[in-house]
Amino acid sequence: MPIYLGFDSSTQGLTATAIDAGADSRRVLFTRSFGFDELLPRYRTQHGVLPSPDPVVVHAPPLMWAEALDVTFAVLRREEKIDWTRLRAISGSAQQHGSVYLNRSWPASLRTLVPDRSLAGQLEHVFARPTSPIWMDTSTMAECRQIEQALGGWDTVARLTGSRCYERFTGAQIRKFAGREPERYAETVRIHLVSSWLASLLAGRDAPIDHGDGSGMNLMSLASLQWSDEAMHATADGLDTKLPALAPPWSIAGSLAAFWMERHALPPARIVVWSGDNPCSLIGTGLVRENSMAVSLGTSDTVFGLMTEPQPSADGTGHVFVSPSGGYMGMTVFKNGSLARERIRDMYGLDWSGFSSALRSTPPGNTGSLMLPWFDPEITPPVHVPGIRRRELNPEDAAASVRALVEGQMMAMALHSRWMGRSPNIIHATGGASANREILQVMADVFDSTVVELPSRNSAALGAALRAYHADVVADGRNPGWEDIVRGFTDPVADRRIGPVAANVTTYRRTIARYEEFEREVLGERKRG
Ligand code: ADP
Ligand code: XUL
């Protein structure tokens, strides 16, 4: 029976999931995760990013992402005893927005990779910019304003591309690079996203950017699904020749290049275009119909769901992306996700079980104590200078601080996803922190919704494997329904449903109003100050 492989190159590591898609044998064959810091210490990353003296500048080495793919294939091939000859197609998911800048030697280097030498050694010279700005970078506020001004305002940009200009989006990052390092920009012949770059390596030729990850650049017209001439012009000169093609999410980018087949004894599997981690998670959490939403508690926290119309939010919050099925998805992103939870956990000397006990030992509503959890610059709401704020919260009180953080995160998610216009009855929870039932109980109470756990916490890698399956079937001339594709892989775990508690829901209705007011006050003070 056919096997499909999905990768997820996330901020902190690389995950691989293989599925058997046989009619009677549907199952996940394996999921393996490798943290970049431990797997490849020579790149000296911390949580997958390079240390930076300036908190708004966040880069990672693109060579590390490539090497991780090579090293991971070697481990999988050695340790996973599946019938690799049945591998039919490979796709992937990657952290969104990050960009890779390649010089003139890139096309030839890619075509002539030899299997008996390491991938990293052969790619060392292909970069016009040795490091890649990633989604955590917020250093492009000026460029955002310039692009918005050139295009006629933030709302015009949001209607054109699905989002107002965001600092981490690729357009503003490219503008900054072109303005500050014009020589290197001139040397750049190709700008890839993390997703399309890794797909290119597998296919041995430039892979397209899929419409889903393309929606995270402020460069693609959501209506025509083409690069927008006006947006490119407002961003940087000569961009039209540097960007790869755009393609639907189920496109085939080629077949596995000889380098990989020979080096790791793999068959000529189809390479399906990669996409962003959030579009892939939409599939990996089984959101193939419009009646539910998903919350991903990963490095970033995200709330997302399918949308019928590409209607951006009226106040500039959140994003509309093309979904892997070709429709649309709405999403709001919070930067202070798992890393903020880890900060509080470590600040009070806890482990995850102590963190959960703190939530169990404190009452919903936290007797009025609130926290704005902005340890790092925040994306939603936009906060450029980090700093947590407390109200009626004693910083010495560990348990109340844990609860204030988690409640703050959940209330911010509920508030800033209202623009998507739906109150979900069911939330599909995913990401590393969805292992924590106490956190999920706060989510259920704040959203007044049942929260279900999914069989896989690695929904992005699973979604990528399912996208590989879907695209392979489409390439064979069939038109499968998404419900058939995900069946058996994303069904919620039967005994892991967490329902809202009525009394807590009432408490949070009041607390959310107070939180909103607190947030508004502090944002106002910051603007004035
Ligand atoms: P990424 O977005 O990088 O793919 P993951 O979805 O793999 O991240 O989530 C990893 C994070 O999950 C870890 O950084 C950790 O903070 C968090 N995590 C793991 N277990 C727990 C737990 N029991 N409670 C809360 N958070 C957890
Ligand atoms: C999405 C975003 C993050 C990254 C994390 O807009 O910035 O969720 O994709 O990998």
Side-chain angles (χ1 to χ4, degrees), residues 415 418 511-521:
L415 267 177
R418 280 183 186 159
T511 317
I512 289 190
R514 285 185 57 234
Y515 184 86
E516 187 174 18
E517 193 186 294
F518 184 26
E519 191 188 89
R520 203 179 302 127
E521 259 173 49

Side-chain angles (χ1 to χ4, degrees), residues 9 60-66 94-95 97-103 106 123 126-134 170 173-174 177 188-198 200-201 206 209 217 242-244:
S9 182
L63 196 58
M64 176 181 78
W65 301 324
Q95 54 171 308
H97 320 296
S99 38
V100 180
Y101 299 76
L102 301 152
N103 66 25
W106 157 248
L123 290 178
V126 302
F127 301 101
R129 191 183 195 185
T131 62
S132 293
I134 67 154
T170 326
Q173 293 291 342
I174 293 174
F177 179 55
T188 304
V189 299
R190 180 62 76 226
I191 303 175
H192 270 296
L193 292 181
V194 186
S195 58
S196 60
W197 190 57
L198 294 174
S200 303
L201 292 176
D206 274 312
I209 289 179
M217 300 173 79
K242 298 185 202 283
L243 293 172

